Amino acid sequence: MCGIVGYVGKRDATPLLLDGLKRLEYRGYDSGGIAVHTPDGIQIRKCMGRLTELEKDLTANALIGRPGIGHTRWATHGEPSQRNSHPHQAGAGEVIVVHNGIIENYQELKEQLRSAGHEFLSDTDTEVIPHLIQQELADGAASPDAAIRQALKKARGAYALGILFKDDPDKVYAARLGSPLIVGLGEDETFIASDVPAIVNQIQNVIYLNDGEIAILSPEGVAIQNLAGESIEPEIKPVDIAPEAAEMAGFETFMMKEIHEQPRVLRSLLEKHVDREDTVIVPEIGFSTDYFQQLRRIMIVSCGTAYHAAMYGKFLLEHLTGLAVETDLGSEFRYRSPRIESDTLFVAVSQSGETADTLASLRLAREKDCKVLSICNVPGSSLVRESDSVLFTEAGPEIGVASTKAYTAQLMAFGLLAIHIGRARGEISEETEQQLMKALRAVPNAIHYMLERADDIQAIADKHHDGPSALYLGRRFNYPTALEGALKNKEISYQHAEGYAAGEMKHGPIALINEYLPVICICTQTEDEVYEKMISNMKEVEARHGRIIAVATDGDKVVADFAEDIIYVPPIHEEFSPIVNVVALQLLAYYAAQARGTDIDKPRNLAKSVTVE
Ligand code: M6R
């Protein structure tokens, strides 16, 4: 939540900061602000609302200078308002700060600082940081970085910080603990940003800051130190994202672009992980056949959409590996007393690799001596760095707040993982592996056909979008698909939606059904053993005059008898049908949102990366 950016170099900072913030706006969009060293001293501009407001203000009244820092906010402490927007400052602009994260002991620090004469102007936790640093300077800290180090030793919580000092006009200081922050290296200029895509068009190399590190960006380059003041030799990595990957490429939204990227993303994931003999190859996982044979249990933890991927992973892993597999939400797992031991493989699933609850759960698993495997989309993220091994989803930057391509890539990753472990444990034969791989290979083309049917799905969304609610039903592998379809719908169209295991309908939600309620029923796979059960559930809906929208396989002759509308999907192997079916539901939610006129890429109240508890 919140995006930060900073620039040191010879160019004017303002347009670069604005450009970076626009690319980070998916992280928060209730207010924005920048601070720039100008010939008249540091100046700050902030605006409530979207960055277009800040841009208008800066166009009307230019802010010329360098270096500078900027922020786009997703409110945690203090309502979205002008006075709560970042940057925050202490004194007469002596120290100016932008922050992503939460300072947990800010109340206590505020009281201490107040008694030392500091005045606070906002309701934010962030504001204590510039005051703490200012106090350290007043108490005789030898340098700005010494003041930062002393101040940060007093703060508890998570932070990515960009800091300007009135009396040190050439530099930007940055610090990281628990919230993402990178240093970007261009030609004779340096940046900080919450992620690489924010500045991908400006830099060639990147330094992923570690927790507890401070970066000092100056015209001479970058120096990194730890909280003890010891200098650290950074690992410089080339940027491996193409600048176009963070652009809309002619689509009307990032979400639509990302929906359309799915066949390509999945195809290349397969190419990377399957050899000519149709054997899964995942050398990066690094665990031996012996390890998988000794393994007793898998625990998968994640949040939101990634949790739905985890549920699918559980069904598939149980089905193909014979292991006991459990899933939990990060926010629940971390407060349980989970019975996990060294014979448990802990799998964390996250697009961003920065989700606070998933990370906290991972750390708990580490304390219990579990090996940790992450399924993640962002190289250099905290999750990646804290895992024993990583299966990258390699979906490229996902900028739409509603996850699409990262989800289907997570499902595909679980497909590969389950086949690999199943083989290692001798639960599936070579022949079965080849059959499964053939089925998995059919997925990208099937999604491609789905995308060609987008107009049919739009017509259905146009018809059903205006009701107050919708119910999504699925079974077995497609139970998580129902949950994910409902989540997509509520996230971007704001229509209330419930996902349910179809067999559970008669235990409660059936009371909701009347002639107005759209009930989206996923009943693909006529060969599937739960197909007939699904048909019975649909009959129950029909008997109560619910409006059935069926997701059914091409050629299905049964559902047409009682479904009001049908989204046809190409035939696909039962186990992998969720990877295709969910695309129909992504499009259904998308067109419903379009008809309801919402801001699809930046739905209200949401942020892409939930780095707070
Ligand atoms: O980055 P992560 O995958 O860990 O994020 C988890 C959730 O916050 C995320 O999936 C969220 O539910 C999305 N907005 C769903 O579209």
Side-chain angles (χ1 to χ4, degrees):
M1 350 279 276
C2 304
I4 71 174
V5 66
Y7 172 73
V8 175
K10 296 194 180 99
R11 294 190 276 169
D12 258 339
T14 300
L16 294 166
L17 296 174
L18 258 181
D19 184 57
L21 290 179
K22 281 187 201 160
R23 292 161 186 267
L24 286 172
E25 206 178 7
Y26 72 90
R27 298 178 68 88
Y29 30 87
D30 57 46
S31 53
I34 64 172
V36 172
H37 275 283
T38 74
D40 304 323
I42 298 186
Q43 291 200 31
I44 298 179
R45 291 288 170 71
K46 316 181 193 191
C47 274
M48 263 286 286
R50 299 285 161 93
L51 286 170
T52 43
E53 299 305 312
L54 181 65
E55 192 170 20
K56 273 189 227 153
D57 182 78
L58 289 163
T59 309
N61 198 355
L63 198 56
I64 296 170
R66 56 182 183 266
I69 51 177
H71 188 268
T72 179
R73 181 169 187 247
W74 186 89
T76 57
H77 294 60
E79 59 173 6
S81 66
Q82 185 83 8
R83 75 195 177 90
N84 287 332
S85 330
H86 300 213
H88 290 285
Q89 58 177 309
E94 282 155 78
V95 187
I96 296 180
V97 166
V98 289
H99 168 221
N100 170 33
I102 287 185
I103 306 303
E104 287 164 2
N105 58 339
Y106 80 102
Q107 291 284 23
E108 180 190 323
L109 292 170
K110 222 170 182 178
E111 285 318 309
Q112 288 165 11
L113 287 158
R114 268 200 185 113
S115 9
H118 291 257
E119 269 181 51
F120 290 89
L121 305 174
S122 78
D123 306 320
T124 65
D125 52 329
T126 300
E127 203 184 353
V128 296
I129 297 288
H131 285 271
L132 275 177
I133 297 172
Q134 188 198 26
Q135 186 61 48
E136 293 299 334
L137 286 172
D139 290 347
S143 60
D145 49 297
I148 294 172
R149 289 196 305 271
Q150 294 309 323
L152 293 184
K153 281 179 193 158
K154 295 178 177 159
R156 207 172 57 236
Y159 52 76
L161 298 166
I163 308 165
L164 294 181
F165 289 87
K166 184 175 161 193
D167 296 332
D168 197 2
D170 292 335
K171 299 192 185 87
V172 166
Y173 292 78
R176 173 200 153 122
L177 186 79
S179 296
L181 191 61
I182 57 132
V183 176
L185 308 174
E187 276 172 28
D188 297 327
E189 53 189 8
T190 46
F191 294 78
I192 54 165
S194 298
D195 67 20
V196 177
I199 49 174
V200 68
N201 52 340
Q202 310 291 347
I203 61 169
Q204 292 80 47
N205 292 298
V206 60
I207 299 168
Y208 293 96
L209 286 183
N210 292 307
D211 279 346
E213 287 181 353
I214 293 171
I216 304 166
L217 281 61
S218 69
E220 288 74 48
V222 182
I224 312 281
Q225 54 178 241
N226 60 20
L227 284 180
E230 295 156 346
S231 106
I232 289 180
E233 195 55 47
E235 195 182 339
I236 298 176
K237 296 189 170 171
V239 172
D240 55 4
I241 303 174
E244 321 73 82
E247 308 287 348
M248 225 131 56
F251 285 91
E252 58 204 7
T253 58
F254 276 109
M255 183 174 174
M256 193 47 111
K257 177 194 172 212
E258 288 154 9
I259 288 175
H260 278 81
E261 282 178 320
Q262 293 177 108
R264 179 186 56 72
V265 164
L266 299 179
R267 222 169 264 132
S268 66
L269 199 57
L270 278 172
E271 267 163 29
K272 181 161 178 201
H273 292 294
V274 185
D275 68 11
R276 281 162 191 265
E277 279 74 49
D278 264 348
T279 305
V280 175
I281 39 168
V282 278
E284 63 273 51
I285 289 183
F287 303 134
S288 65
T289 302
D290 206 37
Y291 170 78
F292 285 125
Q293 282 170 356
Q294 307 293 323
L295 196 63
R296 300 289 300 267
R297 200 155 161 257
I298 296 182
M299 179 79 224
I300 316 173
V301 174
S302 45
C303 302
T305 283
Y307 178 65
H308 300 151
M311 287 176 72
Y312 168 76
K314 168 189 159 73
F315 295 154
L316 201 63
L317 282 158
E318 281 174 347
H319 182 57
L320 298 178
T321 70
L323 282 162
V325 186
E326 211 189 316
T327 51
D328 206 349
L329 296 161
S331 52
E332 289 298 317
F333 180 83
R334 61 186 295 190
Y335 294 110
R336 278 169 54 194
S337 311
R339 286 200 51 230
I340 50 172
E341 291 160 16
S342 56
D343 60 1
T344 304
L345 172 64
F346 183 90
V347 180
V349 191
S350 173
Q351 188 284 129
S352 62
E354 300 294 348
T355 300
D357 287 321
T358 308
L359 272 168
S361 303
L362 176 155
R363 290 172 189 145
L364 182 61
R366 280 215 160 288
E367 282 169 21
K368 307 254 180 187
D369 280 340
C370 297
K371 288 262 185 246
V372 173
L373 165 67
S374 285
I375 296 180
C376 189
N377 199 38
V378 180
S381 59
S382 304
L383 201 72
V384 165
R385 286 189 274 179
E386 296 186 33
S387 299
D388 294 302
S389 65
V390 184
L391 185 50
F392 281 108
T393 40
E394 306 199 25
E398 190 181 66
I399 294 172
V401 165
S403 188
T404 52
K405 63 176 179 173
Y407 179 67
T408 45
Q410 286 161 355
L411 301 189
M412 178 72 84
F414 271 118
L416 296 166
L417 187 66
I419 296 170
H420 178 70
I421 300 179
R423 279 289 283 145
R425 290 175 57 81
E427 290 284 331
I428 55 172
S429 65
E430 192 179 342
E431 195 191 344
T432 307
E433 177 175 26
Q434 284 168 355
Q435 283 164 0
L436 289 167
M437 284 317 308
K438 193 166 165 237
L440 209 45
R441 277 190 197 285
V443 166
N445 279 349
I447 294 179
H448 188 77
Y449 291 133
M450 282 308 309
L451 297 175
E452 287 184 345
R453 295 169 187 184
D455 289 350
D456 300 342
I457 299 175
Q458 180 164 21
I460 296 172
D462 284 347
K463 191 170 151 195
H464 294 278
H465 73 265
D466 54 359
S469 189
L471 183 62
Y472 287 67
L473 301 177
R475 276 177 175 261
R476 203 182 184 204
F477 295 114
N478 278 301
Y479 165 34
T481 314
L483 300 183
E484 176 60 10
L487 178 64
K488 285 292 87 92
N489 192 17
K490 57 192 150 198
E491 258 187 315
I492 59 169
S493 84
Y494 313 153
Q495 181 185 48
H496 171 257
E498 288 271 341
Y500 247 86
E504 273 290 295
M505 183 182 62
K506 57 174 83 63
H507 299 286
I510 200 162
L512 296 171
I513 296 173
N514 60 18
E515 65 272 36
Y516 305 112
L517 186 77
V519 185
I520 295 89
C521 300
I522 305 155
C523 61
T524 49
Q525 302 324 309
T526 43
E527 301 302 313
D528 180 341
E529 59 183 306
V530 297
Y531 176 77
E532 284 179 5
K533 312 277 174 210
M534 215 37 234
I535 296 290
S536 306
N537 296 136
M538 288 161 78
K539 291 257 183 211
E540 289 157 5
V541 176
E542 184 200 21
R544 285 150 188 92
H545 309 293
R547 303 181 66 181
I548 297 175
I549 302 168
V551 180
T553 308
D554 278 341
D556 184 312
K557 298 276 185 285
V558 181
V559 294
D561 285 345
F562 42 85
E564 180 176 332
D565 290 294
I566 305 176
I567 300 173
Y568 284 108
V569 299
I572 200 89
H573 206 277
E574 173 196 346
E575 280 86 340
F576 306 125
S577 63
I579 317 180
V580 181
N581 293 345
V582 76
V583 178
L585 303 186
Q586 292 167 353
L587 288 168
L588 194 65
Y590 186 94
Y591 290 121
Q594 202 174 52
R596 290 165 74 102
T598 63
D599 186 341
I600 292 177
D601 276 342
K602 300 183 197 96
R604 70 179 173 213
N605 303 337
L606 288 176
K608 178 90 185 148
S609 181
V610 184
T611 54
V612 294
E613 234 191 289

